[in-house]
Amino acid sequence: MTTQLVIHTDISRGRINKNIYGHFAEHLGRCIYEGIWVGEDSPIPNTDGIRNDVLQALKHLQIPVLRWPGGCFADEYHWKDGVGPREQRKRMVNTHWGGLVENNHFGTHEFMRLCELLDCEPYICGNVGAGLYRRCRNGSST
């Protein structure tokens, strides 16, 4: 018994959505802090706190869309905690990755800048659970 495979490269079924080839950034280990983000005052060459060597490596990948925050960290992250002056941002404990204190120095604003530098579309993983919880608990909109 023989099997034959015929591939019709001349037939197009449509365009593959670029979001299928997207990437995500996770607050696990040193992916964000020390990996992507070192801060503007770091001796490591950077652009607005984002490591230049990482920028060049990611540009080479031609990422169409970048999702953040990725993974379990998104369960507790609230996008509003990552905007405004860094020194005034709300801190949180990252219960998923070792109970580390998250200072939000790489927050929503920095993520949007990263996407701008990479010329990719941002995909913010919104935590509607925390927003709804805050709204129900204190009666105000967050």
Coordinates of all heavy atoms in Angstrom, one line a residue, residues 15-107:
R15 N -6.0 34.6 4.1 CA -4.8 35.2 4.7 C -4.8 34.7 6.2 O -5.8 34.8 6.9 CB -4.8 36.7 4.6 CG -3.6 37.3 5.2 CD -3.6 38.8 4.9 NE -2.4 39.4 5.4 CZ -2.1 40.7 5.2 NH1 -2.9 41.4 4.5 NH2 -1.0 41.1 5.7
I16 N -3.7 34.3 6.7 CA -3.6 33.9 8.1 C -3.5 35.2 9.0 O -2.7 36.1 8.7 CB -2.3 33.0 8.3 CG1 -2.4 31.7 7.5 CG2 -2.1 32.7 9.8 CD1 -1.2 30.9 7.6
N17 N -4.3 35.3 10.0 CA -4.3 36.4 10.9 C -3.0 36.5 11.6 O -2.5 35.6 12.2 CB -5.4 36.2 11.9 CG -5.6 37.4 12.7 OD1 -4.7 38.0 13.2 ND2 -6.9 37.8 12.9
K18 N -2.4 37.7 11.5 CA -1.1 38.0 12.1 C -1.1 37.7 13.6 O 0.0 37.5 14.2 CB -0.6 39.4 11.8 CG -1.3 40.5 12.5 CD -0.8 41.8 12.1 CE -1.6 42.9 12.8 NZ -1.0 44.2 12.5
N19 N -2.2 37.8 14.3 CA -2.3 37.6 15.7 C -1.9 36.2 16.1 O -1.5 36.0 17.3 CB -3.6 38.0 16.3 CG -3.9 39.5 16.1 OD1 -3.0 40.3 16.3 ND2 -5.1 39.8 15.7
I20 N -2.0 35.3 15.2 CA -1.6 33.9 15.5 C -0.1 33.8 15.8 O 0.4 33.0 16.6 CB -1.9 33.0 14.3 CG1 -3.5 32.8 14.2 CG2 -1.3 31.6 14.4 CD1 -3.9 32.1 13.0
Y21 N 0.7 34.7 15.2 CA 2.1 34.7 15.4 C 2.6 35.7 16.4 O 3.7 36.1 16.5 CB 2.8 35.1 14.0 CG 2.4 34.1 13.0 CD1 1.6 34.5 11.9 CD2 2.9 32.8 13.0 CE1 1.2 33.6 10.9 CE2 2.5 31.9 12.0 CZ 1.7 32.3 11.0 OH 1.3 31.4 10.0
G22 N 1.7 36.1 17.3 CA 2.1 37.1 18.3 C 2.9 36.5 19.4 O 3.1 35.2 19.5
H23 N 3.4 37.3 20.3 CA 4.2 36.9 21.5 C 3.6 37.5 22.7 O 2.7 38.3 22.7 CB 5.6 37.4 21.3 CG 6.2 36.9 20.0 ND1 7.0 35.7 20.0 CD2 6.2 37.3 18.8 CE1 7.4 35.5 18.8 NE2 7.0 36.5 18.0
F24 N 4.1 37.0 23.9 CA 3.7 37.6 25.1 C 4.9 37.8 26.1 O 5.9 37.1 25.9 CB 2.6 36.8 25.8 CG 3.0 35.6 26.5 CD1 3.2 35.6 27.9 CD2 3.2 34.4 25.9 CE1 3.6 34.5 28.6 CE2 3.6 33.3 26.5 CZ 3.8 33.3 27.9
A25 N 4.7 38.8 27.0 CA 5.8 39.1 27.9 C 5.2 38.7 29.3 O 4.1 39.2 29.7 CB 6.2 40.5 27.9
E26 N 6.0 38.0 30.1 CA 5.5 37.5 31.4 C 6.4 38.0 32.5 O 7.6 38.2 32.3 CB 5.6 36.0 31.4 CG 5.4 35.3 32.7 CD 4.0 35.4 33.2 OE1 3.8 36.5 33.9 OE2 3.1 34.6 33.0
H27 N 5.8 38.3 33.7 CA 6.6 38.7 34.8 C 7.1 37.5 35.6 O 7.1 37.5 36.8 CB 5.6 39.5 35.7 CG 5.4 40.9 35.2 ND1 5.9 42.0 35.9 CD2 4.8 41.4 34.1 CE1 5.6 43.1 35.2 NE2 4.9 42.7 34.2
L28 N 7.6 36.6 34.9 CA 8.2 35.4 35.5 C 9.7 35.5 35.5 O 10.3 35.9 34.5 CB 7.8 34.1 34.8 CG 8.5 32.8 35.2 CD1 8.1 32.5 36.6 CD2 8.0 31.7 34.3
G29 N 10.4 35.3 36.7 CA 11.8 35.4 36.7 C 12.3 36.7 36.4 O 11.9 37.7 36.9
R30 N 13.2 36.8 35.4 CA 13.8 38.1 35.0 C 13.4 38.5 33.6 O 14.0 39.2 32.9 CB 15.3 37.9 35.0 CG 15.8 37.8 36.4 CD 17.3 37.8 36.5 NE 17.8 37.9 37.8 CZ 18.7 37.1 38.3 NH1 19.3 36.2 37.5 NH2 19.0 37.2 39.6
C31 N 12.2 38.0 33.1 CA 11.8 38.3 31.8 C 11.6 39.9 31.6 O 12.0 40.5 30.7 CB 10.5 37.6 31.4 SG 9.9 38.0 29.8
I32 N 10.8 40.4 32.6 CA 10.6 41.9 32.5 C 11.7 42.6 33.2 O 12.4 43.4 32.6 CB 9.2 42.2 33.2 CG1 8.1 41.5 32.4 CG2 9.0 43.7 33.3 CD1 7.9 42.0 31.0
Y33 N 11.8 42.5 34.6 CA 12.8 43.2 35.3 C 14.2 42.5 35.1 O 14.3 41.4 35.4 CB 12.4 43.3 36.8 CG 11.2 44.1 37.0 CD1 10.0 43.5 37.3 CD2 11.2 45.5 36.8 CE1 8.8 44.3 37.4 CE2 10.0 46.3 36.9 CZ 8.9 45.6 37.2 OH 7.7 46.4 37.3
E34 N 15.1 43.3 34.6 CA 16.5 42.9 34.3 C 16.5 42.3 32.9 O 17.6 42.3 32.2 CB 17.1 41.9 35.3 CG 17.3 42.5 36.7 CD 17.9 41.5 37.6 OE1 18.8 40.7 37.2 OE2 17.4 41.5 38.8
G35 N 15.4 41.7 32.4 CA 15.3 41.2 31.0 C 15.0 42.3 30.0 O 15.9 42.7 29.2
I36 N 13.8 42.8 30.0 CA 13.4 43.8 29.1 C 13.6 45.2 29.8 O 14.2 46.1 29.1 CB 11.9 43.7 28.8 CG1 11.7 42.4 27.9 CG2 11.4 44.9 28.0 CD1 10.2 42.1 27.7
W37 N 13.3 45.3 31.0 CA 13.3 46.6 31.7 C 14.5 46.7 32.7 O 14.7 45.8 33.6 CB 12.0 46.8 32.5 CG 12.0 48.1 33.3 CD1 12.2 48.2 34.7 CD2 11.8 49.4 32.8 NE1 12.1 49.5 35.1 CE2 11.8 50.2 34.0 CE3 11.5 49.9 31.6 CZ2 11.7 51.6 33.9 CZ3 11.4 51.3 31.5 CH2 11.4 52.1 32.6
V38 N 15.3 47.8 32.6 CA 16.4 48.0 33.5 C 16.3 49.4 34.1 O 17.0 49.8 35.1 CB 17.8 47.8 32.9 CG1 18.0 46.4 32.6 CG2 18.0 48.7 31.7
G39 N 15.4 50.3 33.6 CA 15.3 51.6 34.0 C 16.2 52.6 33.3 O 17.3 52.2 32.9
E40 N 15.9 53.8 33.3 CA 16.7 54.8 32.5 C 18.1 55.0 33.1 O 19.0 55.4 32.4 CB 15.9 56.2 32.5 CG 14.7 56.2 31.6 CD 13.4 55.9 32.4 OE1 13.5 55.4 33.6 OE2 12.4 56.3 32.0
D41 N 18.2 54.9 34.4 CA 19.5 55.1 35.1 C 20.4 54.0 35.1 O 21.5 54.0 35.7 CB 19.2 55.6 36.6 CG 18.4 56.9 36.6 OD1 18.5 57.7 35.7 OD2 17.7 57.1 37.6
S42 N 20.1 52.9 34.5 CA 20.9 51.7 34.4 C 22.2 51.9 33.6 O 22.2 52.6 32.6 CB 20.1 50.5 33.8 OG 21.0 49.4 33.7
P43 N 23.3 51.3 34.0 CA 24.5 51.3 33.2 C 24.4 50.5 31.9 O 25.2 50.6 31.0 CB 25.6 50.8 34.1 CG 24.9 49.9 35.1 CD 23.5 50.6 35.3
I44 N 23.4 49.6 31.9 CA 23.1 48.8 30.7 C 22.5 49.7 29.7 O 21.5 50.4 30.0 CB 22.1 47.6 31.0 CG1 22.8 46.7 32.0 CG2 21.7 46.9 29.8 CD1 21.8 45.6 32.6
P45 N 23.0 49.8 28.5 CA 22.5 50.7 27.4 C 21.0 50.4 27.2 O 20.6 49.3 27.1 CB 23.3 50.3 26.2 CG 24.6 49.7 26.7 CD 24.2 49.0 28.0
N46 N 20.2 51.5 27.2 CA 18.8 51.4 27.1 C 18.1 52.6 26.5 O 18.8 53.6 26.4 CB 18.2 51.2 28.6 CG 18.3 52.4 29.4 OD1 17.5 53.3 29.3 ND2 19.3 52.4 30.3
T47 N 16.9 52.4 26.0 CA 16.1 53.4 25.5 C 14.9 53.5 26.4 O 14.1 52.6 26.5 CB 15.7 53.1 24.0 OG1 16.9 52.9 23.2 CG2 14.8 54.2 23.5
D48 N 14.8 54.6 27.1 CA 13.6 54.8 28.0 C 13.5 53.7 29.0 O 12.4 53.3 29.3 CB 12.3 55.0 27.2 CG 12.4 56.3 26.3 OD1 13.1 57.2 26.6 OD2 11.7 56.2 25.2
G49 N 14.6 53.1 29.4 CA 14.6 52.1 30.4 C 14.5 50.7 29.9 O 14.6 49.7 30.6
I50 N 14.3 50.5 28.6 CA 14.2 49.2 27.9 C 15.6 48.9 27.3 O 16.1 49.7 26.5 CB 13.1 49.3 26.8 CG1 11.8 49.6 27.5 CG2 13.0 47.9 26.1 CD1 10.7 50.0 26.5
R51 N 16.1 47.7 27.6 CA 17.4 47.3 27.2 C 17.5 47.3 25.7 O 16.7 46.8 24.9 CB 17.7 45.9 27.7 CG 17.9 45.8 29.1 CD 18.1 44.4 29.5 NE 19.3 43.8 28.9 CZ 20.0 42.8 29.4 NH1 19.7 42.3 30.5 NH2 21.0 42.3 28.7
N52 N 18.6 48.0 25.2 CA 18.8 48.1 23.7 C 19.1 46.7 23.1 O 18.7 46.5 22.0 CB 20.0 49.1 23.4 CG 19.6 50.5 23.7 OD1 18.4 50.8 23.8 ND2 20.6 51.3 23.9
D53 N 19.9 45.9 23.8 CA 20.2 44.6 23.2 C 18.9 43.7 23.1 O 18.8 43.0 22.1 CB 21.3 43.8 24.0 CG 20.9 43.6 25.5 OD1 20.0 44.3 26.0 OD2 21.5 42.7 26.1
V54 N 18.0 43.8 24.0 CA 16.8 43.1 23.9 C 15.9 43.7 22.8 O 15.3 42.9 22.0 CB 16.0 43.1 25.3 CG1 14.6 42.5 25.2 CG2 16.9 42.4 26.3
L55 N 15.9 45.0 22.7 CA 15.1 45.6 21.6 C 15.6 45.1 20.3 O 14.8 44.8 19.4 CB 15.3 47.2 21.7 CG 14.4 47.9 22.6 CD1 14.8 49.4 22.7 CD2 12.9 47.8 22.3
Q56 N 16.9 45.1 20.1 CA 17.4 44.6 18.8 C 17.1 43.2 18.5 O 16.7 42.8 17.4 CB 18.9 44.8 18.7 CG 19.4 46.3 18.7 CD 18.6 47.1 17.6 OE1 18.6 46.7 16.5 NE2 18.0 48.2 18.0
A57 N 17.1 42.3 19.5 CA 16.8 40.9 19.3 C 15.3 40.8 19.0 O 14.9 40.0 18.1 CB 17.1 40.1 20.6
L58 N 14.5 41.5 19.7 CA 13.0 41.4 19.4 C 12.6 42.0 18.1 O 11.7 41.5 17.4 CB 12.2 42.1 20.6 CG 12.3 41.4 21.9 CD1 11.6 42.2 23.0 CD2 11.8 40.0 21.9
K59 N 13.3 43.1 17.7 CA 13.1 43.7 16.4 C 13.4 42.7 15.3 O 12.7 42.6 14.3 CB 13.9 45.0 16.2 CG 13.4 46.2 16.9 CD 14.2 47.4 16.6 CE 13.7 48.6 17.4 NZ 14.5 49.8 17.1
H60 N 14.4 41.9 15.5 CA 14.8 40.9 14.5 C 13.7 39.9 14.3 O 13.5 39.3 13.2 CB 16.1 40.2 15.0 CG 16.5 39.1 14.0 ND1 17.1 39.4 12.8 CD2 16.5 37.8 14.1 CE1 17.4 38.3 12.2 NE2 17.1 37.3 13.0
L61 N 12.9 39.6 15.3 CA 11.8 38.6 15.3 C 10.6 39.2 14.5 O 9.7 38.4 14.1 CB 11.3 38.2 16.7 CG 12.3 37.5 17.5 CD1 11.7 37.2 18.9 CD2 12.7 36.1 16.8
Q62 N 10.5 40.5 14.3 CA 9.4 41.2 13.6 C 8.0 40.7 14.2 O 7.1 40.3 13.6 CB 9.4 40.9 12.1 CG 10.6 41.4 11.5 CD 10.7 41.1 10.0 OE1 10.2 40.0 9.5 NE2 11.3 41.9 9.2
I63 N 7.9 41.0 15.5 CA 6.7 40.6 16.3 C 5.5 41.5 15.8 O 5.6 42.7 15.8 CB 6.9 40.9 17.8 CG1 8.1 40.0 18.3 CG2 5.7 40.7 18.6 CD1 8.5 40.3 19.7
P64 N 4.5 40.8 15.3 CA 3.3 41.6 14.9 C 2.5 42.1 16.0 O 1.9 43.2 15.9 CB 2.5 40.6 14.0 CG 2.9 39.2 14.6 CD 4.3 39.4 15.1
V65 N 2.3 41.4 17.1 CA 1.5 41.8 18.2 C 2.1 41.2 19.5 O 2.6 40.1 19.5 CB 0.0 41.3 18.0 CG1 -0.1 39.8 18.0 CG2 -0.8 41.9 19.1
L66 N 2.2 42.0 20.5 CA 2.8 41.6 21.8 C 1.7 41.7 22.9 O 1.1 42.8 23.1 CB 4.0 42.5 22.1 CG 4.7 42.2 23.4 CD1 5.3 40.7 23.3 CD2 5.9 43.2 23.6
R67 N 1.5 40.6 23.6 CA 0.5 40.6 24.7 C 1.2 40.7 26.0 O 2.2 40.1 26.2 CB -0.3 39.2 24.6 CG -1.3 39.1 25.7 CD -2.2 37.9 25.6 NE -1.4 36.6 25.5 CZ -1.2 35.9 26.6 NH1 -1.6 36.3 27.8 NH2 -0.5 34.8 26.5
W68 N 0.6 41.5 26.8 CA 1.1 41.8 28.2 C 0.0 42.2 29.1 O -0.9 42.9 28.6 CB 2.2 42.9 28.1 CG 2.7 43.3 29.4 CD1 3.7 42.7 30.1 CD2 2.2 44.4 30.2 NE1 3.9 43.4 31.3 CE2 3.0 44.4 31.4 CE3 1.2 45.3 30.1 CZ2 2.8 45.3 32.4 CZ3 1.0 46.2 31.1 CH2 1.8 46.2 32.2
P69 N -0.1 42.0 30.3 CA 0.8 41.0 31.0 C 0.4 39.6 30.6 O -0.7 39.3 30.4 CB 0.6 41.3 32.5 CG -0.7 41.9 32.6 CD -1.0 42.6 31.3
G70 N 1.4 38.8 30.5 CA 1.2 37.4 30.1 C 1.0 36.5 31.3 O 1.4 36.8 32.4
G71 N 0.4 35.3 31.0 CA 0.3 34.3 32.0 C -0.5 34.6 33.2 O -1.4 35.5 33.2
C72 N -0.1 34.0 34.3 CA -0.9 34.1 35.6 C -0.8 35.5 36.2 O -1.7 35.9 36.9 CB -0.3 33.1 36.6 SG -0.6 31.4 36.2
F73 N 0.3 36.2 35.9 CA 0.4 37.6 36.4 C -0.8 38.5 36.1 O -1.2 39.3 36.8 CB 1.7 38.2 35.9 CG 1.9 39.6 36.5 CD1 2.3 39.7 37.9 CD2 1.8 40.7 35.8 CE1 2.6 41.0 38.4 CE2 2.1 42.0 36.3 CZ 2.5 42.1 37.6
A74 N -1.4 38.2 34.9 CA -2.6 39.0 34.5 C -3.8 38.8 35.4 O -4.7 39.6 35.4 CB -2.9 38.6 33.0
D75 N -3.8 37.7 36.1 CA -4.9 37.5 37.1 C -5.1 38.5 38.1 O -6.2 38.8 38.6 CB -4.8 36.1 37.8 CG -4.9 34.9 36.8 OD1 -5.4 35.1 35.7 OD2 -4.5 33.8 37.2
E76 N -4.0 39.1 38.5 CA -4.0 40.1 39.6 C -3.6 41.5 39.2 O -3.8 42.4 40.0 CB -3.1 39.6 40.7 CG -3.5 38.3 41.3 CD -2.6 37.8 42.4 OE1 -1.5 38.4 42.6 OE2 -2.9 36.8 43.1
Y77 N -3.1 41.6 38.0 CA -2.6 43.0 37.6 C -3.8 43.8 37.1 O -4.7 43.4 36.5 CB -1.6 42.8 36.4 CG -1.0 44.1 36.0 CD1 0.0 44.7 36.8 CD2 -1.5 44.8 34.9 CE1 0.6 45.9 36.4 CE2 -0.9 46.1 34.6 CZ 0.1 46.6 35.3 OH 0.6 47.8 35.0
H78 N -3.7 45.1 37.5 CA -4.7 46.1 37.1 C -4.0 47.1 36.3 O -3.1 47.8 36.8 CB -5.5 46.7 38.3 CG -6.7 47.3 37.9 ND1 -6.8 48.5 37.2 CD2 -8.0 47.0 38.0 CE1 -8.0 48.9 36.9 NE2 -8.8 48.0 37.5
W79 N -4.4 47.3 35.1 CA -3.7 48.2 34.2 C -3.5 49.6 34.7 O -2.5 50.3 34.5 CB -4.3 48.3 32.8 CG -5.7 49.0 32.8 CD1 -6.9 48.4 32.9 CD2 -5.9 50.4 32.6 NE1 -7.9 49.4 32.9 CE2 -7.3 50.6 32.6 CE3 -5.1 51.5 32.3 CZ2 -7.9 51.9 32.5 CZ3 -5.6 52.7 32.2 CH2 -7.0 52.9 32.2
K80 N -4.4 50.1 35.5 CA -4.3 51.5 36.1 C -3.2 51.6 37.1 O -2.7 52.7 37.3 CB -5.6 51.9 36.7 CG -6.8 52.2 35.8 CD -8.0 52.7 36.5 CE -9.1 53.1 35.5 NZ -10.2 53.6 36.2
D81 N -2.8 50.5 37.6 CA -1.6 50.5 38.6 C -0.3 50.8 37.9 O 0.7 51.1 38.5 CB -1.6 49.2 39.4 CG -2.8 49.0 40.3 OD1 -3.5 50.0 40.6 OD2 -3.0 47.9 40.6
G82 N -0.3 50.7 36.6 CA 1.0 50.9 35.8 C 1.0 52.1 35.0 O 1.8 52.2 34.0
V83 N 0.3 53.2 35.4 CA 0.4 54.5 34.7 C 0.7 55.6 35.7 O 0.5 55.4 36.9 CB -1.0 54.8 34.0 CG1 -1.2 53.8 32.9 CG2 -2.1 54.9 34.9
G84 N 1.1 56.7 35.2 CA 1.5 57.8 36.1 C 2.9 57.7 36.5 O 3.7 56.8 36.1
P85 N 3.3 58.7 37.4 CA 4.7 58.7 37.9 C 5.1 57.4 38.6 O 4.3 56.9 39.4 CB 4.8 59.9 38.8 CG 3.6 60.7 38.4 CD 2.6 59.8 37.9
R86 N 6.2 56.8 38.2 CA 6.6 55.5 38.7 C 6.6 55.5 40.3 O 6.2 54.5 40.9 CB 7.9 55.0 38.2 CG 7.8 54.5 36.8 CD 9.1 53.9 36.3 NE 9.1 54.1 34.8 CZ 9.8 55.0 34.2 NH1 10.6 55.8 34.9 NH2 9.8 55.1 32.9
E87 N 7.1 56.5 40.9 CA 7.3 56.6 42.3 C 5.9 56.5 43.0 O 5.9 56.2 44.2 CB 8.1 57.8 42.7 CG 9.4 58.0 42.1 CD 9.3 58.4 40.6 OE1 8.5 59.2 40.3 OE2 10.2 58.0 39.8
Q88 N 4.9 56.9 42.3 CA 3.5 57.0 42.9 C 2.7 55.8 42.6 O 1.5 55.7 43.0 CB 2.8 58.3 42.5 CG 3.6 59.5 43.0 CD 2.9 60.8 42.4 OE1 1.8 60.7 41.9 NE2 3.6 61.9 42.5
R89 N 3.2 54.8 41.8 CA 2.4 53.7 41.4 C 2.2 52.7 42.6 O 3.1 52.5 43.4 CB 3.1 53.0 40.2 CG 3.1 53.8 39.0 CD 3.7 53.1 37.8 NE 3.8 54.0 36.7 CZ 4.5 53.6 35.6 NH1 5.0 52.4 35.5 NH2 4.6 54.5 34.6
K90 N 1.0 52.1 42.5 CA 0.7 51.1 43.6 C 1.6 49.9 43.5 O 1.8 49.4 42.4 CB -0.8 50.7 43.4 CG -1.3 49.7 44.4 CD -2.7 49.4 44.1 CE -3.2 48.3 45.0 NZ -4.5 47.9 44.8
R91 N 2.1 49.5 44.6 CA 2.9 48.2 44.6 C 1.9 47.1 44.9 O 0.9 47.2 45.5 CB 3.9 48.3 45.7 CG 5.0 49.3 45.4 CD 5.9 49.5 46.6 NE 7.0 50.4 46.2 CZ 8.2 50.1 45.9 NH1 8.6 48.8 45.9 NH2 9.1 51.0 45.6
M92 N 2.3 45.9 44.5 CA 1.5 44.7 44.8 C 2.4 43.5 45.0 O 3.6 43.5 44.6 CB 0.6 44.4 43.6 CG 1.3 44.1 42.3 SD 0.2 43.6 40.9 CE 0.0 41.9 41.2
V93 N 1.9 42.5 45.6 CA 2.7 41.3 45.8 C 2.3 40.3 44.6 O 1.1 40.0 44.4 CB 2.4 40.6 47.1 CG1 3.1 39.3 47.3 CG2 2.8 41.6 48.3
N94 N 3.3 39.8 43.9 CA 3.1 38.9 42.8 C 3.0 37.5 43.5 O 4.0 36.8 43.7 CB 4.2 39.0 41.8 CG 4.0 38.1 40.6 OD1 3.2 37.2 40.6 ND2 4.7 38.4 39.6
T95 N 1.8 37.1 43.8 CA 1.6 35.8 44.5 C 1.9 34.6 43.6 O 2.1 33.5 44.1 CB 0.1 35.7 45.0 OG1 -0.8 35.8 43.9 CG2 -0.2 36.8 46.0
H96 N 1.9 34.8 42.3 CA 2.1 33.7 41.4 C 3.6 33.3 41.3 O 3.9 32.2 41.0 CB 1.5 34.0 40.0 CG 0.0 34.0 40.0 ND1 -0.7 32.9 40.1 CD2 -0.8 35.1 39.9 CE1 -2.0 33.2 40.1 NE2 -2.1 34.5 40.0
W97 N 4.5 34.3 41.4 CA 5.9 34.1 41.1 C 6.7 34.4 42.4 O 7.5 35.4 42.4 CB 6.3 34.9 39.9 CG 5.5 34.5 38.7 CD1 4.9 35.4 37.9 CD2 5.2 33.3 38.2 NE1 4.2 34.8 36.9 CE2 4.4 33.4 37.0 CE3 5.6 32.0 38.5 CZ2 3.9 32.4 36.3 CZ3 5.1 30.9 37.8 CH2 4.3 31.1 36.7
G98 N 6.6 33.7 43.4 CA 7.5 33.8 44.6 C 7.1 34.9 45.6 O 7.9 35.1 46.5
G99 N 6.0 35.5 45.5 CA 5.6 36.5 46.5 C 6.5 37.8 46.4 O 6.6 38.5 47.4
L100 N 7.1 38.0 45.2 CA 7.9 39.2 45.1 C 7.0 40.5 45.0 O 5.9 40.5 44.5 CB 8.7 39.1 43.8 CG 9.7 37.9 43.7 CD1 10.3 37.8 42.3 CD2 10.8 38.0 44.7
V101 N 7.6 41.6 45.5 CA 6.9 42.9 45.4 C 7.0 43.4 44.0 O 8.2 43.6 43.5 CB 7.4 43.8 46.5 CG1 6.8 45.2 46.3 CG2 7.2 43.3 47.9
E102 N 5.9 43.7 43.4 CA 5.9 44.3 42.1 C 5.7 45.8 42.2 O 4.7 46.3 42.8 CB 4.7 43.7 41.3 CG 4.3 44.5 40.0 CD 5.4 44.4 39.0 OE1 5.9 43.3 38.7 OE2 5.7 45.5 38.4
N103 N 6.7 46.6 41.8 CA 6.7 48.0 42.0 C 6.0 48.8 40.8 O 5.9 50.0 40.9 CB 8.1 48.6 42.3 CG 9.0 48.4 41.1 OD1 8.7 48.1 40.0 ND2 10.3 48.5 41.4
N104 N 5.7 48.0 39.8 CA 5.0 48.6 38.6 C 5.9 49.6 37.9 O 5.4 50.5 37.2 CB 3.7 49.2 39.0 CG 2.6 48.2 39.1 OD1 2.5 47.3 38.3 ND2 1.8 48.2 40.2
H105 N 7.2 49.5 38.0 CA 8.1 50.4 37.2 C 8.0 50.1 35.8 O 8.2 51.0 34.9 CB 9.5 50.4 37.8 CG 9.6 51.2 39.0 ND1 10.9 51.4 39.6 CD2 8.7 51.8 39.8 CE1 10.7 52.2 40.7 NE2 9.4 52.4 40.9
F106 N 7.8 48.8 35.4 CA 7.4 48.5 34.1 C 5.9 48.2 34.1 O 5.4 47.2 34.5 CB 8.1 47.2 33.6 CG 7.8 46.9 32.1 CD1 8.6 47.4 31.1 CD2 6.8 46.1 31.8 CE1 8.3 47.1 29.8 CE2 6.5 45.8 30.5 CZ 7.3 46.3 29.5
G107 N 5.2 49.2 33.7 CA 3.7 49.2 33.7 C 3.1 49.4 32.4 O 3.8 49.2 31.3

